[in-house]
Amino acid sequence: MCAVPQLKSKFQISYVQIDLLNIMNNQTDRFQCYSCAGDSCKQQELAVCSDALMCYSYSVSDSFGCRTFHKGCVAEDKAQFFCNTLHHGGKEPSAAEYSGECCQGNYCNNGTFPTLAPFMMTSQESASDYSQQTINLLLAILCPVVVLILILGIIILIMRKLHKRQMAALLNRDTDHFYQDDLRITAAGDSTLREVFEHSVTSGSGSGMPLLIQRTLAKQIHLNECIGKGRYGEVWRGIWHGESVAVKIFFSKDEASWTRETEIYSTVLLRHENILGFIGSDVTSHNSCTQLWLVTHYHELGSLYDYLNLTDLTTYQMLIILLSAISGIVHLHTEIFGTQGKPAIAHRDIKTKNILVKNNGTCVIADFGLAVTHTQATGVMDIAHNYRVGTKRYMAPEVLDETLNTSVFESYRRVDIYTFGLVMWEVCHKCLSEGIAEEYRPPFFDLVPSDPSFEDMRKVVCVDQQRPVIPNRWSSDPILSAISKLMKECWHQNPSARLTALRVKKSLMKIAMSDPKIHLDL
């Protein structure tokens, strides 16, 4: 449908002089006329109007060339408008114009409509109109975008200011909450606490919770019972949103281990079913003492060390433990390439106390305080700056005789394989064979004291080149016999002769599938 015509200021008008006054004064006859407007005229949908002084027909063209038509009756009060000015045409080709006719007689306006000159637009006008339309379109698109960007910028600035204020409040807050258990660890100065915040990992890693949420964990967790103690500190079972969580509280002297574990757990793509689930880390204080918290999933069966002390294993249980543990190590050792990839990670302290048992009998790897990472693309190797040197009983020969090539990442992976060989021995030691399972014993229990020194271990492992004794009963059990050969390849004196984690996993799966009575859902 055409719009109402818009007439330009420059125009010319043709007048048709009609003695309307005489007609109006002397005429007594009134006429009937056809009436229509716009689309109804095009479709010949003509109505009838009556008591007309005259009938009219009009053709109208706006400045865009859209034409409309009109018919109707002329009354006394409209005669001057309709019949004295019968034509209007602009000087420019694209100006609005109209043309009309008035007549007397019943239905005298039944004929065709007055003609108009063809509509033409000059190239200058066409370019001008096109440019104006383009400008209008760009403004319609760009204006909302600019406004949106400005709003987002303001929101980001506000959020950054709020974040800085919240972090400043966390750094300086005087904790007003108390726990029913009186937990104390070595006090640390304010400068140490500030450094921990400033140098700890950032959020956005895809592991655990966002950093800001982690920094409020201590307020939300109620500590119930202490479930373990060590040289690093204590482990507590806590309640967080109605669920049990494990809270590892570090001594301030072991701050480097806490920082390292937080960094490793926050590594992109670290999450795996055989890696301990990470919830967050926090720095808090109680009775003016600094506490470094690491919050993880809670597994009520405890460590593999505790589990083996209490449980004799079936062949199936033994294989499930070993396969799930080596699966976790494979995931650690493997570098995942991509924009959101994962570096290769060597644990450096694999032992039964750092492996936890889940309710379904599978295991997860824990305690990354000594971990080292490596990115192949950059060749960068990140080694923990930590006074801890690992567990002496599990130290590999190259660590004990100080021949470890610390500049090559593969050296650290081979150390993990050596220690996993000792873990395999511990697990198999508790596996029932012919109805018999030995009492739990740590590796080298018969060769070194309960708390061996570095020199004790060096003599046994490096000088005498001894390894844990393989019981005779294992030779009569196909599964245990095959695994005993595998563990010997893992703890080989020559690091380069040891298997890779992936090869160990494939070998264990092959051993498991060799017995038709064992069905593993892996």
Side-chain angles (χ1 to χ4, degrees), residues 458-514:
R458 192 186 71 81
K459 181 180 184 304
V460 170
V461 175
C462 300
V463 179
D464 300 337
Q465 297 191 9
Q466 296 195 63
R467 297 293 184 271
V469 178
I470 305 295
N472 291 330
R473 67 179 179 87
W474 290 11
S475 60
S476 59
D477 186 305
I479 300 292
L480 289 175
S481 178
I483 293 178
S484 65
K485 294 177 183 178
L486 186 61
M487 68 179 68
K488 289 177 182 178
E489 293 188 79
C490 290
W491 65 40
H492 199 284
Q493 192 78 13
N494 182 1
S496 60
R498 295 170 199 158
L499 303 176
T500 64
L502 183 59
R503 175 51 59 190
V504 174
K505 179 179 179 180
K506 289 182 177 180
S507 299
L508 282 171
M509 292 181 69
K510 186 176 180 180
I511 292 170
M513 290 186 292
S514 66

Side-chain angles (χ1 to χ4, degrees), residues 129-248:
D129 289 346
Y130 178 78
S131 299
Q132 187 61 43
Q133 291 177 6
T134 304
I135 292 171
N136 292 340
L137 180 61
L138 288 174
L139 289 174
I141 295 173
L142 292 177
C143 286
V145 172
V146 171
V147 171
L148 181 61
I149 291 173
L150 289 174
I151 293 173
L152 288 175
I154 293 171
I155 292 173
I156 291 171
L157 288 174
I158 293 172
M159 291 181 67
R160 289 185 65 179
K161 287 184 178 179
L162 289 175
H163 175 73
K164 288 181 179 179
R165 288 179 183 176
Q166 289 174 336
M167 292 304 295
L170 285 170
L171 286 170
N172 299 303
R173 75 175 187 263
D174 182 14
T175 307
D176 58 355
H177 61 285
F178 297 92
Y179 302 104
Q180 67 179 51
D181 302 289
D182 185 18
L183 295 178
R184 294 175 180 271
I185 62 175
T186 307
D190 291 339
S191 61
T192 302
L193 179 60
R194 184 175 297 275
E195 287 171 5
V196 167
F197 273 112
E198 290 176 351
H199 299 292
S200 59
V201 298
T202 58
S203 61
S205 64
S207 179
M209 300 185 306
L211 181 61
L212 194 58
I213 298 175
Q214 292 183 32
R215 295 309 185 209
T216 63
L217 274 178
K219 283 187 174 182
Q220 304 170 19
I221 296 175
H222 174 75
L223 300 177
N224 272 8
E225 58 177 330
C226 182
I227 57 177
K229 293 185 179 182
R231 285 171 293 181
Y232 57 83
E234 300 173 332
V235 178
W236 287 71
R237 182 178 70 85
I239 301 298
W240 182 57
H241 297 308
E243 299 290 337
S244 292
V245 294
V247 182
K248 190 173 180 180

